[in-house]
Amino acid sequence: MAVLEEISTQLQAGKVKDVKALVQQALDEGIQARDILEKGLLAGMDVVGEKFKNNEVFVPEVLIAARCMNKGTEILRPFLVKDGVEGKGTVVIGTVSGDLHDIGKNLVRMMMEGKGLKVIDLGVDVTPAAFIQAAKENDADIIGLSALLTTTMPEMKNVVDAVKKEGLRCKVMVGGAPVTAEFAKEIGADFYSEDATSAAEGAVAIIG
Ligand code: B1M
């Protein structure tokens, strides 16, 4: 579908307005929100990620592409969060201390909301103390941690340890590109999830 390729192209070029208009156009054409996300926005982000790795583009370009991604997913949000009935359980989610990547975390949040979970999003660069405080205040069932840097992954263990120290009843779920099931086990996290959909399904299973 031409419009999906165009979304990917304009995201790579950092054209926020065009991406927003094209996402709306794709919805108007009856294309499924999930296809717009995966074959348009994420496909474009993959190309940017590859170029970033190869030093073909740099932080400013990636930031603008990420802005396109976040603005595009905001438009898709009501369609991804279909039933959106809250009350099945509460998740406190955030990107760990020192880490500013939030695209994956935002997707996990949306998918969880789509499963009817109440999600409290603490944003990025969240300290263990902030996770603990929010979990206590909201009587959270799950704390969800996202990390995209190998250097910030150890922060996940700090949160797991803090949960144990405080004797909280909530489970800890971890994810993010460098995180593995093996790492999750090693740090004592309760659940690892590879992508946003399985994170949401896993959260429902844990709470259920
Ligand atoms: Co960053 N960055 N970045 N970056 N960046 C990576 C992660 C990197 C792999 C690029 C590279 O070199 N190849 C690399 C990390 C290398 C490493 O640690 N081994 C890297 C680096 C080095 C850096 C900086 C240090 C660069 C610099 O300044 N020199 C810097 C660090 C800043 C900081 O955080 N302190 C930096 C900065 C940035 C930007 C700010 C420019 C921007 C972030 C903007 C934003 O997020 N708002 C950015 C971006 C966009 C990327 C890449 C290109 C894309 C990440 C992304 O959003 N992917 C990335 C390269 C890449 O991944 N190809 C890269 C799409 C997203 C949907 O995937 O987040 O994996 P992901 O989420 C998935 C799953 O992992 C899972 O579900 C999601 C959807 O299926 N998931 C969970 C995520 N969280 C989960 C939580 C769960 C469960 C599942 O449970 C709770």
Side-chain angles (χ1 to χ4, degrees), residues 96-113:
V96 296
S97 195
D99 200 322
L100 304 176
H101 297 83
D102 67 356
I103 296 172
K105 182 263 298 165
N106 293 345
L107 284 174
V108 173
R109 183 192 72 208
M110 279 182 209
M111 295 303 174
M112 286 183 171
E113 287 173 343

Side-chain angles (χ1 to χ4, degrees), residues 53 62 98 100-104 146 148-150 176-177 193-196:
K53 193 168 93 183
V62 183
L100 304 176
H101 297 83
D102 67 356
I103 296 172
S146 183
L148 263 288
L149 299 171
T150 44
S193 181
E194 193 176 6
D195 57 52

Side-chain angles (χ1 to χ4, degrees), residues 96 147 149-159 183 187:
V96 296
L149 299 171
T150 44
T151 49
T152 58
M153 283 165 65
E155 281 297 330
M156 292 179 150
K157 180 165 180 351
N158 294 339
V159 180
F183 175 77
I187 63 167

Side-chain angles (χ1 to χ4, degrees), residues 1-207:
M1 276 168 270
V3 69
L4 298 184
E5 271 175 39
E6 196 55 21
I7 289 171
S8 165
T9 305
Q10 295 307 326
L11 181 142
Q12 291 168 50
K15 306 275 190 217
V16 179
K17 271 191 192 163
D18 291 344
V19 169
K20 283 169 72 179
L22 286 161
V23 167
Q24 189 57 55
Q25 183 189 324
L27 283 171
D28 294 343
E29 286 178 16
I31 300 173
Q32 294 290 312
R34 191 173 285 264
D35 284 340
I36 302 173
L37 175 68
E38 285 172 5
K39 298 178 187 161
L41 296 167
L42 283 173
M45 204 63 214
D46 276 351
V47 177
V48 175
E50 203 47 38
K51 287 186 174 168
F52 189 38
K53 193 168 93 183
N54 299 328
N55 290 322
E56 291 167 43
V57 298
F58 301 95
V59 171
E61 290 98 321
V62 183
L63 262 181
I64 298 171
R67 186 147 184 267
C68 291
M69 176 82 207
N70 280 330
K71 292 286 176 194
T73 45
E74 276 306 314
I75 296 173
L76 296 179
R77 188 184 164 107
F79 301 90
L80 294 169
V81 182
K82 262 184 266 133
D83 49 354
V85 187
E86 292 184 354
K88 286 188 191 163
T90 303
V91 181
V92 164
I93 197 167
T95 304
V96 296
S97 195
D99 200 322
L100 304 176
H101 297 83
D102 67 356
I103 296 172
K105 182 263 298 165
N106 293 345
L107 284 174
V108 173
R109 183 192 72 208
M110 279 182 209
M111 295 303 174
M112 286 183 171
E113 287 173 343
K115 292 276 177 200
L117 300 170
K118 180 178 172 190
V119 184
I120 291 131
D121 187 350
L122 303 181
V124 297
D125 192 15
V126 183
T127 61
F131 277 114
I132 297 297
Q133 189 185 339
K136 281 183 182 167
E137 281 173 7
N138 296 285
D139 190 22
D141 299 286
I142 297 173
I143 294 180
L145 306 173
S146 183
L148 263 288
L149 299 171
T150 44
T151 49
T152 58
M153 283 165 65
E155 281 297 330
M156 292 179 150
K157 180 165 180 351
N158 294 339
V159 180
V160 171
D161 290 348
V163 168
K164 284 185 188 150
K165 193 174 160 216
E166 293 283 332
L168 300 187
R169 67 171 187 89
C170 61
K171 304 284 184 199
V172 179
M173 176 188 280
V174 295
V179 181
T180 61
E182 198 185 9
F183 175 77
K185 201 174 162 197
E186 202 178 293
I187 63 167
D190 300 290
F191 197 85
Y192 159 75
S193 181
E194 193 176 6
D195 57 52
T197 306
S198 42
E201 287 166 358
V204 170
I206 291 171
I207 293 167

